[in-house]
Amino acid sequence: MIYLFFLSCTEQSRIRDTYLEEEEITQNILLPWATESNISQDDQYVRFEMRAQRKVHKIPLNDEFDVGFEVEGYAYNDLTPSPVLIAKKGQTLKVDFFNDLDAPTTIHWHGIKSPESMDGVPYAHEPVGPEEFFNIEIPLEQEGTFWFHPHYDTARQVDMGLYGMLIVEDQEHPIAKYPKRFLLFDDWKPDQVSVDVEHSHLYEDGHWLVNQHHQPKIEVEEPTVFHVVNASNQGYLNMHWPNALWVGGEQGYWGTPAIFEHLLLAPGERAVLLDLGGEKDVVMQPYSNHGGTTWEEPFNLFSIEGDVFEQPSLPTIIEPPTPDPQSTDAVLVFQGNPYTNSWYINGAQFPDVEPIRWKYGHTGVLEVRNLSPTEHPFHLHGLVFEVLSVDGVPPEQRQIEDTVNVGIYQTVRLLITADNIGQWMAHCHILPHGDEGMMTIFEVYDEE
Ligand code: C2O
Ligand code: CU
């Protein structure tokens, strides 16, 4: 109670009226694809210019767009979320990156098997200093809904607005022909730059924004594909989204579209939905990583307006999950204390956690056990994994991911092929947890 009161006081003192232009609103909710001026492409390359800049974010508090607060933060190409980068499988992504911030930064390509030197972690290359350029070049061999964000001073820089979506698609896939929408969700607060637990805004329901808009309306004219990212540092998104099919995960479209009740996305997770129209609200059922659905009232995240469309016939490929080999190559035990914000893997804190080391080409099982009283989204760089089971239960179909939520006292078993040489970060994507120790290295080596 005291805590909530404290928050609302701080908030009051910060809130001021901001009048956003109508134009600004419509421009923002449909995130622009990276525009002609900063893109060029051929079969081999897709090229973008990206600039990390300072930006004053105008955060609306209601759907009238006339009341809100301002947050001094950062943005890519002057927008949060960044313009969407779209590429074809097989192209090489080239980004001419310029750092116009007052601080060093990097870009990490979350979900992409990049070369280690492009992964954006400070031990793989020096961070890009203020006023410095960095040329990024990554062959795109996977399909999926990826996102990018800094991996230097991570919790703070992401929270200040540096993130965007990268879509890599096989354009022959039957789902690729539908119109696309891109939604990045984040929970904003007036004091955006404090990311410690004391300033957590997990339980404030007013500030979940969609592409930085509060409860926008999105019109659909035919079945429409929604690529969804939870870009929040620590908030869980638990959505009730009627009349839609779940058609893809983080690493591409699924064999069989799934019906779903609730869509739970932990920080860093993505999903692809095919919306089948109707007049409806997509609603958030507040969710805490300290124990699931909370007592709070559900609230509207955004609305969809359109006719109800007939379900198109989509290809259905039965892809059962790979059977568990019943052997385990490595175990990560997550422990910690939410009251002190101290987090451990196998009893130690990064960089003191013993790294996992697999030889290039090895396929094995990594088991992640959560013995802490909070949930943690486990994310692995540079590689992907198949979820073999959660508490012994295999998923309904083959599920390839790079981020998986591990519930309280849950055990997940992940099948990994070490097919990318390098030292890869493996960490909790609740960013303050990663910063406070819940991180290790998964090294894929060639020769000893
Ligand atoms: Cu999206 Cu290591 O992070
Ligand atoms: Cu965590």
Side-chain angles (χ1 to χ4, degrees), residues 108 110 147 149 151 379 381 427 429:
H108 166 60
H110 182 129
W147 69 299
H149 60 76
H151 223 291
H379 170 50
H381 290 210
H427 63 89
H429 219 283

Side-chain angles (χ1 to χ4, degrees), residues 165-348:
M165 220 188 272
L166 165 67
I167 308 291
V168 187
E169 201 174 48
D170 162 12
Q171 290 175 324
E172 304 300 308
H173 193 284
I175 290 174
K177 68 168 197 272
Y178 294 104
K180 296 179 178 55
R181 298 283 181 268
F182 311 98
L183 305 182
L184 291 96
F185 291 82
D186 195 1
D187 50 342
W188 289 81
K189 61 185 172 185
D191 190 7
Q192 192 68 13
V193 290
S194 309
V195 290
D196 50 301
V197 172
E198 257 46 70
H199 289 101
S200 152
H201 40 141
L202 291 178
Y203 306 106
E204 282 179 275
D205 58 12
H207 299 156
W208 272 96
L209 300 183
V210 186
N211 297 350
Q212 234 179 63
H213 286 265
H214 186 251
Q215 301 180 338
K217 292 182 179 53
I218 300 175
E219 285 173 25
V220 293
E221 285 168 359
E222 55 183 301
T224 301
V225 175
F226 283 81
H227 293 266
V228 179
V229 176
N230 181 355
S232 165
N233 270 20
Q234 47 185 329
Y236 278 60
L237 250 189
N238 186 27
M239 292 191 280
H240 178 60
W241 187 322
N243 203 25
L245 293 170
W246 195 348
V247 294
E250 297 169 348
Q251 299 279 334
Y253 298 119
W254 285 348
T256 308
I259 313 275
F260 63 99
E261 252 315 300
H262 281 90
L263 178 65
L264 179 68
L265 292 181
E269 289 191 305
R270 292 91 66 206
V272 189
L273 305 179
L274 182 66
D275 184 78
L276 300 174
E279 310 279 316
K280 63 198 178 194
D281 291 341
V282 173
V283 162
M284 167 88 158
Q285 174 65 61
Y287 189 97
S288 157
N289 68 327
H290 296 259
T293 303
T294 71
W295 65 92
E296 292 157 296
E297 285 297 309
F299 59 90
N300 171 274
L301 284 166
F302 65 98
S303 313
I304 291 186
E305 293 184 348
D307 296 335
V308 176
F309 312 114
E310 221 179 286
Q311 186 176 323
S313 72
L314 295 168
T316 301
I317 307 157
I318 307 294
E319 285 184 314
T322 304
D324 192 319
Q326 304 293 338
S327 56
T328 304
D329 295 68
V331 178
L332 298 179
V333 178
F334 284 10
Q335 285 175 289
N337 183 338
Y339 300 102
T340 57
N341 196 31
S342 33
W343 302 100
Y344 302 84
I345 296 181
N346 296 345

Side-chain angles (χ1 to χ4, degrees), residues 22-247:
E22 187 73 32
E23 211 178 313
E24 227 172 311
I25 296 163
T26 36
Q27 182 220 324
N28 263 337
I29 186 61
L30 299 182
L31 281 185
W33 297 19
T35 51
E36 294 300 332
S37 61
N38 59 8
I39 180 173
S40 74
Q41 69 172 321
D42 54 32
D43 286 347
Q44 218 183 339
Y45 290 109
V46 56
R47 182 170 191 150
F48 302 94
E49 278 170 22
M50 275 177 55
R51 199 170 262 272
Q53 299 162 302
R54 301 177 62 148
K55 160 129 186 162
V56 177
H57 299 287
K58 295 175 179 172
I59 305 303
L61 278 180
N62 66 24
D63 50 7
E64 301 295 313
F65 293 99
D66 56 355
V67 177
F69 56 86
E70 293 185 350
V71 175
E72 285 208 37
Y74 298 154
Y76 291 124
N77 294 0
D78 207 31
L79 277 179
T80 295
S82 154
V84 181
L85 311 188
I86 305 225
K88 292 181 219 151
K89 186 177 170 183
Q91 283 178 322
T92 292
L93 172 74
K94 280 194 172 198
V95 177
D96 307 339
F97 176 63
F98 183 71
N99 180 6
D100 215 355
L101 305 176
D102 47 6
T105 192
T106 64
I107 308 186
H108 166 60
W109 304 87
H110 182 129
I112 296 276
K113 295 181 185 180
S114 70
E116 189 191 51
S117 61
M118 297 290 144
D119 194 42
V121 296
Y123 58 75
H125 67 76
E126 285 288 306
V128 187
E131 305 285 303
E132 278 176 20
F133 281 101
F134 187 70
N135 289 317
I136 292 156
E137 196 166 321
I138 302 174
L140 300 172
E141 289 152 10
Q142 305 146 266
E143 287 160 37
T145 300
F146 308 105
W147 69 299
F148 49 91
H149 60 76
H151 223 291
Y152 177 85
D153 194 8
T154 314
R156 191 181 72 91
Q157 293 196 359
V158 175
D159 213 29
M160 288 178 79
L162 288 176
Y163 50 76
M165 220 188 272
L166 165 67
I167 308 291
V168 187
E169 201 174 48
D170 162 12
Q171 290 175 324
E172 304 300 308
H173 193 284
I175 290 174
K177 68 168 197 272
Y178 294 104
K180 296 179 178 55
R181 298 283 181 268
F182 311 98
L183 305 182
L184 291 96
F185 291 82
D186 195 1
D187 50 342
W188 289 81
K189 61 185 172 185
D191 190 7
Q192 192 68 13
V193 290
S194 309
V195 290
D196 50 301
V197 172
E198 257 46 70
H199 289 101
S200 152
H201 40 141
L202 291 178
Y203 306 106
E204 282 179 275
D205 58 12
H207 299 156
W208 272 96
L209 300 183
V210 186
N211 297 350
Q212 234 179 63
H213 286 265
H214 186 251
Q215 301 180 338
K217 292 182 179 53
I218 300 175
E219 285 173 25
V220 293
E221 285 168 359
E222 55 183 301
T224 301
V225 175
F226 283 81
H227 293 266
V228 179
V229 176
N230 181 355
S232 165
N233 270 20
Q234 47 185 329
Y236 278 60
L237 250 189
N238 186 27
M239 292 191 280
H240 178 60
W241 187 322
N243 203 25
L245 293 170
W246 195 348
V247 294

